[in-house]
Amino acid sequence: MKAINTMRLAFDSRSANEAFARTAVAAFLCSLDPTLDELTDIKTAVSEAVTNCIVHGYREQINKVYITAAIYSDNRVLIKIKDNGCGIEDIEKAREPLFTTRPSEERAGLGFAVMESMVDKVRVSSQPGKGTTVTLEKKIVSKGEGNGNNA
């Protein structure tokens, strides 16, 4: 199925840009007239994925975080958050609740668990030394009559 609308973002991996990322994605999805709960869930999942890029993917370096989002005619949204950082050695281990690569910083290790509780599907692909892509998928149960084509 072909997307009916798409967007792309690239921004520096600075903590200050996490709020920008979630707000930009939320604004893009407003044409679907999501409920406040749906919007909050997506913003939270995007925040977690972007934070993972900044904290774990790039660690102490400033690089780029990339987001692409697509809306489909069935009100399904796909959001990809990508970094070109260190990658994940063991994706299954990284997805376990309470696992963190930064225990000295008192990280909770709940990022993937939070993402999974907020959206319908979470996919993670990663190559050590090359980066990680997290794909979030959620179906929006639109409040309005719009089909995603209205401005």
Side-chain angles (χ1 to χ4, degrees):
M1 181 182 303
K2 187 176 179 188
I4 60 172
N5 199 10
T6 62
M7 66 152 247
R8 292 176 190 245
L9 286 176
F11 52 90
D12 287 346
S13 59
R14 298 180 189 280
S15 296
N17 287 333
E18 178 270 328
F20 162 72
R22 73 172 178 245
T23 303
V25 170
F28 173 71
L29 299 178
C30 281
S31 67
L32 293 174
D33 196 18
T35 66
L36 185 56
D37 287 342
E38 289 170 328
L39 212 48
T40 299
D41 288 350
I42 289 170
K43 287 169 68 174
T44 301
V46 168
S47 291
E48 291 294 332
V50 169
T51 298
N52 279 353
C53 294
I54 294 167
V55 171
H56 302 289
Y58 291 129
R59 299 188 177 151
E60 305 300 321
Q61 302 173 4
I62 300 299
N63 208 314
K64 295 293 182 195
V65 176
Y66 305 92
I67 297 179
T68 59
I71 298 172
Y72 294 87
S73 60
D74 61 355
N75 284 6
R76 186 173 42 94
V77 297
L78 280 180
I79 304 159
K80 292 185 181 187
I81 299 96
K82 179 182 185 306
D83 67 60
N84 294 319
C86 66
I88 301 171
E89 291 285 335
D90 184 343
I91 292 172
E92 292 308 312
K93 182 77 173 164
R95 290 180 82 152
E96 289 178 8
L98 305 180
F99 176 81
T100 181
T101 61
R102 308 294 294 267
S104 63
E105 295 181 8
E106 298 183 21
R107 297 278 169 191
L110 294 173
F112 286 119
V114 169
M115 286 181 243
E116 289 168 351
S117 71
M118 300 288 162
V119 297
D120 301 327
K121 291 181 188 172
V122 176
R123 289 187 299 280
V124 182
S125 62
S126 188
Q127 290 185 329
K130 297 198 175 187
T132 301
T133 301
V134 172
T135 303
L136 308 171
E137 182 176 337
K138 186 166 180 81
K139 177 115 179 196
I140 301 299
V141 181
S142 184
K143 293 185 301 186
E145 301 273 323
N147 61 7
N149 290 328
N150 53 341

